[in-house]
Amino acid sequence: MFVARTMARRGLLNPGHPGRIVRQFAALGRWGFGLAGELRQAAARSPGRVAVIDDRGPTTYGELLARSSRLAAALPFGPGDRVGLLRRNSASMIETLMAITQLGADPVLMNTGLSGPQLAAVIDDQQLNGLIHDDEFAPLLAAAPPACVFLGEADVERRAGRASGRRPRLRPPVRAGRTIVLTSGTTGTPKGARRPTPGGFSPLCSIIDRIPLRAGMRMLIAAPLFHTWGFAALQIAIALRATVVLRRRFEPADALDTVVRENCAALVGVPVMVQQFMEQPARELPLRVVAVSGSALPGGLATRFMDRYGDVLYNLYGSTEASWASIATPADMRAAPSTAGRPPHGTVVRVLDDDGKPVPAGTPGRLFVGNEMLFEGYTNASSGDVRDGLLATGDLGHLDEAGRVFIDGRADDMIVSGGENVFPSEVENLLADLPQVREVAVIGVPDEKYGQRLAAYVVARDGAALDEDAVRDHVRAHRARFCVPRDVVFLGALPRNATGKVLTRELPRP
């Protein structure tokens, strides 16, 4: 009943042409609920609806299926092959992703922020059979393993051109492909995590029940499509037969202009984008949903954003491995600004101690999550920490009496300073609320006397009067003595990867 009610509320059960509806569900029955099946159901039901708008203009669902199918017929890959995809947000990127999926090959979504040596390491670690890339990344491939087949933009267009004409009749592959998403790699080499294929409508409904995305909506996906959240947004959009609006690169002013120009009702991004939107002049926007995920969303930022643009902000807490754990609605963040929300339908979140036993509400512990979209393990054959079917997120947190989830910090980020447990994220959120601070990161560093201590890296707003003593005094006034950072380093910008996460390994050590 939950699935049917949710689909009806979000417009997925609206009346349509009987023949198209039959073909829609036949496509899902034959191809499944992966990208290939979802694209076919969307093209069967709404072939003339615009699927993607990017720099080259609109592409309908019928055209998207035809182009991706022709490309699939021309690619030199098959079931079980691993094919890297190093492309920026564009219709071409989606066409290539769909083509690889239709072949039963495993698309490996590559971070566009990788350096040449990192890219070579990932190609080797993931044992790629091929890499399809935008031309701008060609210079990075000089050190890549020679056994990999490299296809640039011209190669892809040439192959697709040879297969032009009527759309080839592809059959479902004997082996369904598995999308591989790379972990963020903020502290080391990214790992490949195998994403499962949905077994029905339930995973979609778990998300759109809490985040009010509707069938046929216009959605600007500003998050990179190679990111877990960007990829998930693409899956949701195609299932909803929505119109996806894409820009190759994110610029806050351009994104807001695009929202207005294309009349987007939804925007999908990462939290740092919300921060950058707040640095732009306020304006009228047609947005009804702004859905973010990928890193912590400071409570003060959430409140300021909603005060300016209305209660349209939704924050999904999850990971590449766990998919989602909780979703914070505007009402959740109004009631408890720092919350990560509540587990959606079909999801279980438990807070366990070091012995694996549940802890009372309000008591910090390790966060474990269970849902039907937990990852299927890393490509290096390792797996996450699982207890009674629940996967560790790697975070420490707690639940309140109302069942809301709160993140206290990464388990491997917590430090012990002079015998006291200290969460850097607690101090980071405190400093982020200072009006003089544009962005901030707090980490633990070694200390000869106390074992570890905190170091704060601060980016001040232009013209702001802020010095080291003011930063320490603010923390001292609101937190215990051992939370005060001894080291305060002012930077022009924090080092971030392409998804907005701070690269802590690149922060200069005091």
Side-chain angles (χ1 to χ4, degrees):
M1 289 297 293
F2 165 76
V3 169
R5 286 197 305 268
T6 304
M7 292 178 70
R9 280 193 299 130
R10 302 307 184 211
L12 285 168
L13 299 184
N14 289 351
H17 188 282
R20 289 184 176 179
I21 294 176
V22 170
R23 290 192 292 274
Q24 176 187 14
F25 282 91
L28 286 173
R30 189 164 181 238
W31 284 82
F33 287 80
L35 285 174
E38 291 290 4
L39 175 57
R40 277 173 165 75
Q41 68 84 21
R45 177 71 179 268
S46 307
R49 179 174 292 170
V50 175
V52 187
I53 298 174
D54 69 350
D55 293 343
R56 76 182 187 192
T59 301
T60 67
Y61 273 103
E63 292 168 340
L64 184 61
L65 177 58
R67 290 177 181 177
S68 62
S69 297
R70 287 196 294 267
L71 179 57
L75 289 177
F77 308 114
D81 286 342
R82 286 186 185 171
V83 184
L85 194 52
L86 186 62
R87 310 198 74 171
R88 296 196 184 275
N89 286 14
S90 64
S92 297
M93 194 277 197
I94 296 176
E95 290 167 9
T96 310
L97 174 61
M98 294 295 183
I100 296 169
T101 301
Q102 291 182 73
L103 293 172
D106 295 341
V108 182
L109 305 184
M110 311 285 282
N111 190 321
T112 57
L114 293 175
S115 65
Q118 286 177 313
L119 184 59
V122 170
I123 291 173
D124 186 53
D125 289 346
Q126 300 303 317
Q127 300 178 343
L128 298 188
N129 301 94
L131 176 70
I132 300 176
H133 61 89
D134 287 345
D135 290 345
E136 68 177 283
F137 301 113
L140 300 178
L141 303 176
C148 187
V149 176
F150 299 113
L151 298 177
E153 294 175 37
D155 299 315
V156 170
E157 292 299 326
R158 184 166 53 252
R159 288 173 179 271
R162 290 174 187 165
S164 62
R166 296 185 62 186
R167 174 164 61 89
R169 290 185 173 274
L170 300 176
R171 296 183 176 183
V174 294
R175 171 199 179 275
R178 287 289 188 271
T179 301
I180 296 171
V181 179
L182 299 181
T183 59
S184 60
T186 54
T187 58
T189 302
K191 293 183 290 187
R194 294 191 300 271
R195 301 297 312 141
T197 299
F201 295 107
S202 183
L204 168 69
C205 290
S206 294
I207 302 302
I208 64 175
D209 171 59
R210 198 65 62 84
I211 303 176
L213 300 169
R214 294 187 56 83
M217 218 176 199
R218 283 202 167 199
M219 302 168 51
L220 171 61
I221 301 182
L225 293 177
F226 67 75
H227 183 253
T228 305
W229 182 226
F231 176 68
L234 176 64
Q235 291 177 296
I236 292 169
I238 294 174
L240 292 173
R241 307 190 309 281
T243 295
V244 174
V245 180
L246 299 174
R247 306 292 289 169
R248 287 181 60 83
R249 297 175 183 271
F250 173 79
E251 295 291 341
D254 174 68
L256 294 176
D257 289 342
T258 301
V259 165
V260 174
R261 183 178 65 252
E262 302 297 343
N263 195 29
C264 296
L267 184 147
V268 178
V270 295
V272 69
M273 294 177 180
V274 172
Q275 174 186 316
Q276 293 172 355
F277 287 147
M278 292 300 294
E279 296 171 357
Q280 300 296 311
R283 58 194 299 185
E284 290 292 327
L285 298 175
L287 292 170
R288 298 197 295 274
V289 173
V290 176
V292 298
S293 183
S295 59
L297 183 66
L301 175 61
T303 303
R304 292 195 300 272
F305 183 85
M306 291 191 291
D307 287 345
R308 176 184 289 189
Y309 292 112
D311 287 4
V312 298
L313 186 62
Y314 297 79
N315 185 28
L316 184 145
Y317 162 59
S319 67
T320 301
E321 297 84 355
S323 292
W324 61 82
S326 61
I327 298 173
T329 65
D332 290 324
M333 289 183 281
R334 288 292 189 189
S338 61
T339 185
R342 307 168 196 261
H345 185 273
T347 299
V348 175
V349 174
R350 297 279 185 268
V351 182
L352 308 179
D353 62 19
D354 291 339
D355 296 323
K357 297 178 181 179
V359 301
T363 303
R366 299 177 64 200
L367 287 173
F368 285 76
V369 61
N371 61 51
E372 59 184 291
M373 290 297 288
L374 298 180
F375 85 134
E376 298 176 339
Y378 297 110
T379 52
N380 64 6
S382 63
S383 59
D385 184 359
V386 178
R387 303 280 182 93
D388 297 326
L390 303 180
L391 178 70
T393 66
D395 289 322
L396 299 174
H398 65 275
L399 302 177
D400 66 6
E401 295 291 348
R404 290 183 290 247
V405 179
F406 294 80
I407 310 303
D408 296 319
R410 293 288 299 173
D412 50 5
D413 286 346
M414 188 192 78
I415 70 169
V416 180
S417 181
E420 300 287 352
N421 293 341
V422 183
F423 293 104
S425 60
E426 179 183 4
V427 179
E428 192 173 288
N429 289 335
L430 177 66
L431 292 175
D433 282 338
L434 275 173
Q436 304 98 314
V437 172
R438 183 173 183 269
E439 55 182 348
V440 59
V442 178
I443 65 172
V445 296
D447 183 89
E448 292 183 2
K449 182 177 180 181
Y450 296 105
Q452 291 174 295
R453 66 178 188 268
L454 292 182
Y457 299 83
V458 179
V459 178
R461 296 189 183 279
D462 292 342
L466 189 67
D467 59 20
E468 297 178 15
D469 288 338
V471 170
R472 296 191 190 98
D473 289 344
H474 182 70
V475 177
R476 189 176 292 112
H478 294 86
R479 293 293 184 272
R481 172 191 50 78
F482 49 80
C483 292
V484 178
R486 183 186 304 178
D487 307 290
V488 179
V489 181
F490 286 92
L491 301 174
L494 295 180
R496 295 182 182 272
N497 64 13
T499 64
K501 287 190 175 182
V502 176
L503 297 170
T504 56
R505 67 173 181 271
E506 294 186 9
L507 292 170
R509 294 306 188 260

